Amino acid sequence: MALRVGGKVTSFRNRSTAVVASTLVRGLQSRRPLSLSHVEGPTDPPLEHRTLSVYFREEILGKYAERPALVCRQERPRAHGGPPSPNMGVNTHLAWDFGEFDRHIHAVARGLVSLGVKKGDRVAVVMGNNSSYALLQWACASVGAILVTLNPAYRINELVNTLNLAGVSHLFAVPRVRSSHYIRMLSDALPDLRYSNPGNIQAEALPALRNLVVIDNIGDPNEYQKEVNDTKCVIDWRETLVWREDGREQDRVKELIDSHQSNEVINLQFTSGTTGAPKAASLTHINVLNNGLGNGRCMRLTSDDAMFLLYSIVLIRNLAAWTHGACIVYPSETFDPKAIVDAVVQERCTALHGVPTHFLGVLAEVQKRQKAGESLDWSRLRTGIAAGSPIPIDLMRQLIDKLNLTDLTVAYGMTETSPVSFQTTPADPITKRVETVGKVQPHVRAKIINSEGKTVPVGTPGELCVAGYLLHKGCVLD
């Protein structure tokens, strides 16, 4: 099986593609009845050609500076140090409006410049849902570095191979997530890290790596020291942030923001699909910004919404909310149904984003609490995205009846298409939302072809071909 994108064929093995393709076009709407499996999305609204940082400054910050932007319920207020912060008046956990989010983004961007991060450098992240990851997404785009998103479940050999494959020179990681102890794992496998100086790593197995920055997600100083003490090259995250706004770092960040082009790569998303071989899709400003805008429009997000991600974050998922002035809520580092239910109720979330398995976990937690006599208010919850695999109609009805997700949408795509190419809307009846993957996104063309390259009739399985702004710029293969 292959996915033909923009005239090129990227090999992959995904037996479900033919099944999806056979039902795909039934979910598409056109001004005329379709006889062949070929569709084109609308050209309105026009594509956004600004870079992420300019869009944030002119649109998001310009319109929503005092609106909630990011809530991290597992992090303490002022987790990053720096000057006193309003924290939206919350004293139990981290809570930023877009103005405060922006101040932290610039402190991180200045810190990246101070660390020697240059335009085009690969900056890798290994962590769960946290504010540092959210900040790095925008800060890397500000200085022109390429954010490399790594799977926290990687074993040491997979991690080292992927770092080398991407040419990573700066690694940002937490000491541990669940049973994975990243710094100890790296230090044990690569003794060079124990004796290298901060900012000047000399590790034979990782020749490009220069910086290892660690974000404390433990909270206990003694436990934190146990994780990092043996690794001399470690730099503490809080020491990298530059809070002064009148230094050379700030001048450099401003120069860089205004120098970027929207077709430049800003994100390497590693994906193995069903092949098992890691490959990195190269995503640009145009790719991720427009896909986020399209996703948010399908969900009908506004600045009154609070979106909840049920699994590890990637840039595009966040952008669906932030481009519409909506807030992102992280209940915990990793998937935790108990923390999710608490946060949805207490933060009055309006949207959920996950795969069917995650939704089932939330439903089970809700059922458990209701049996115990607990009353849960889901009145604000209404929309979101279910993706990753088909959602059964019984599950969709449960999500509507028990969680009030009346406007839940279904999306289809892949990492190489930024990722969403098709999505339903709240206006679609439930049957359309579970039996199809919706309509093709604006500025996207799609067709299904046979082995001879000819477009097949509607309802005929074949190879799905997608074209448009959403195609990644290239693939880094192992």
Side-chain angles (χ1 to χ4, degrees):
M1 183 64 67
L3 174 70
R4 189 182 302 274
V5 287
K8 299 179 180 179
V9 176
T10 301
S11 294
F12 75 110
R13 294 180 179 86
N14 185 351
R15 294 185 181 276
S16 66
T17 301
V19 177
V20 172
S22 68
T23 61
L24 192 61
V25 186
R26 284 187 278 159
L28 306 175
Q29 294 178 357
S30 176
R31 290 188 179 90
R32 64 184 187 280
L34 290 174
S35 58
L36 295 177
S37 298
H38 179 276
V39 289
E40 296 187 13
T43 56
D44 187 65
L47 281 175
E48 178 56 65
H49 288 278
R50 282 174 284 187
T51 62
L52 274 183
S53 299
V54 172
Y55 188 89
F56 188 99
R57 181 182 67 204
E58 295 179 356
E59 294 293 331
I60 300 174
L61 196 62
K63 295 177 180 177
Y64 310 115
E66 297 181 357
R67 297 294 301 165
L70 181 64
V71 173
C72 298
R73 291 172 57 87
Q74 80 279 17
E75 297 182 50
R76 65 186 184 280
R78 300 193 67 244
H80 307 276
S85 124
N87 205 56
M88 294 202 303
V90 176
N91 57 20
T92 55
H93 55 264
L94 186 150
W96 295 337
D97 60 22
F98 279 103
E100 193 164 355
F101 192 19
D102 181 62
R103 287 191 291 276
H104 282 78
I105 291 168
H106 275 81
V108 175
R110 292 189 291 265
L112 293 177
V113 170
S114 181
L115 281 172
V117 177
K118 300 179 179 62
K119 184 168 182 172
D121 278 2
R122 270 67 167 172
V123 176
V125 288
V126 184
M127 58 191 78
N129 297 322
N130 64 39
S131 59
S132 298
Y133 198 169
L135 291 168
L136 282 165
Q137 293 173 347
W138 291 101
C140 285
S142 297
V143 303
I146 299 173
L147 186 72
V148 182
T149 308
L150 301 180
N151 187 343
Y154 277 158
R155 297 172 182 173
I156 183 61
N157 62 313
E158 295 171 315
L159 180 57
V160 171
N161 289 341
T162 305
L163 291 171
N164 281 324
L165 182 61
V168 169
S169 49
H170 315 279
L171 173 60
F172 289 73
V174 293
R176 68 190 186 204
V177 172
R178 291 181 174 167
S179 62
S180 296
H181 296 254
Y182 302 114
I183 308 306
R184 278 199 274 158
M185 185 169 64
L186 282 166
S187 183
D188 290 343
L190 310 173
D192 295 349
L193 295 177
R194 298 181 184 178
Y195 311 110
S196 292
N197 292 320
N200 187 30
I201 291 174
Q202 301 293 322
E204 184 177 355
L206 292 171
L209 188 65
R210 290 295 172 265
N211 286 306
L212 173 57
V213 180
V214 180
I215 296 97
D216 180 8
N217 67 336
I218 299 173
D220 183 325
N222 293 327
E223 286 295 312
Y224 175 74
Q225 287 303 319
K226 287 180 184 178
E227 297 289 338
V228 303
N229 241 2
D230 293 337
T231 312
K232 182 182 175 183
C233 66
V234 161
I235 301 172
D236 187 273
W237 162 263
R238 286 161 61 104
E239 294 177 1
T240 68
L241 276 66
V242 176
W243 295 100
R244 288 192 58 174
E245 300 179 3
D246 57 356
R248 62 176 182 83
E249 294 92 352
Q250 179 64 15
D251 293 337
R252 182 57 180 152
V253 170
K254 286 182 177 179
E255 290 174 5
L256 287 167
I257 287 175
D258 292 330
S259 73
H260 303 320
Q261 303 297 315
S262 58
N263 64 348
E264 292 172 345
V265 174
I266 57 165
N267 190 204
L268 290 181
Q269 285 280 337
F270 269 88
T271 175
S272 59
T274 55
T275 66
K279 54 186 180 294
S282 304
L283 304 177
T284 67
H285 294 268
I286 286 179
N287 290 153
V288 299
L289 179 54
N290 285 285
N291 212 255
L293 285 164
N295 296 172
R297 279 193 294 264
C298 284
M299 287 184 280
R300 298 177 179 172
L301 293 181
T302 72
S303 60
D304 291 327
D305 284 303
M307 187 170 178
F308 206 125
L309 302 181
L310 299 184
Y311 55 94
S312 295
I313 59 175
V314 291
L315 179 58
I316 303 94
R317 316 294 189 206
N318 288 324
L319 284 176
W322 286 331
T323 54
H324 291 80
C327 179
I328 289 286
V329 177
Y330 301 145
S332 56
E333 279 191 304
T334 57
F335 178 67
D336 181 347
K338 183 180 183 300
I340 288 168
V341 173
D342 286 341
V344 168
V345 174
Q346 294 168 23
E347 302 295 337
R348 295 180 59 75
C349 293
T350 60
L352 289 179
H353 189 144
V355 301
T357 302
H358 294 132
F359 285 111
L360 286 169
V362 173
L363 282 169
E365 176 67 18
V366 169
Q367 186 177 19
K368 174 184 171 183
R369 295 194 185 196
Q370 288 175 339
K371 283 184 177 179
E374 186 175 344
S375 178
L376 301 171
D377 182 6
W378 300 99
S379 59
R380 285 261 300 167
L381 205 56
R382 64 173 182 83
T383 191
I385 295 179
S389 63
I391 183 165
I393 191 165
D394 288 345
L395 175 57
M396 177 67 84
R397 285 178 173 146
Q398 285 189 69
L399 294 174
I400 292 172
D401 295 340
K402 297 179 180 180
L403 301 187
N404 200 45
L405 285 169
T406 55
D407 292 349
L408 184 65
T409 68
V410 172
Y412 170 83
M414 55 193 300
T415 309
E416 293 86 345
T417 57
S418 303
V420 175
S421 47
F422 298 86
Q423 189 172 349
T424 66
T425 70
D428 296 322
I430 294 177
T431 53
K432 290 289 186 183
R433 283 188 262 165
V434 296
E435 293 178 2
T436 78
V437 291
K439 295 178 280 293
V440 70
Q441 287 279 287
H443 304 278
V444 177
R445 304 187 306 279
K447 64 181 179 180
I448 301 170
I449 63 173
N450 59 23
S451 58
E452 297 176 351
K454 295 180 180 179
T455 305
V456 301
V458 170
T460 304
E463 178 185 328
L464 173 62
C465 303
V466 177
Y469 81 87
L470 77 176
L471 299 185
H472 70 130
K473 203 164 186 177
C475 214
V476 181
L477 297 171
D478 191 2

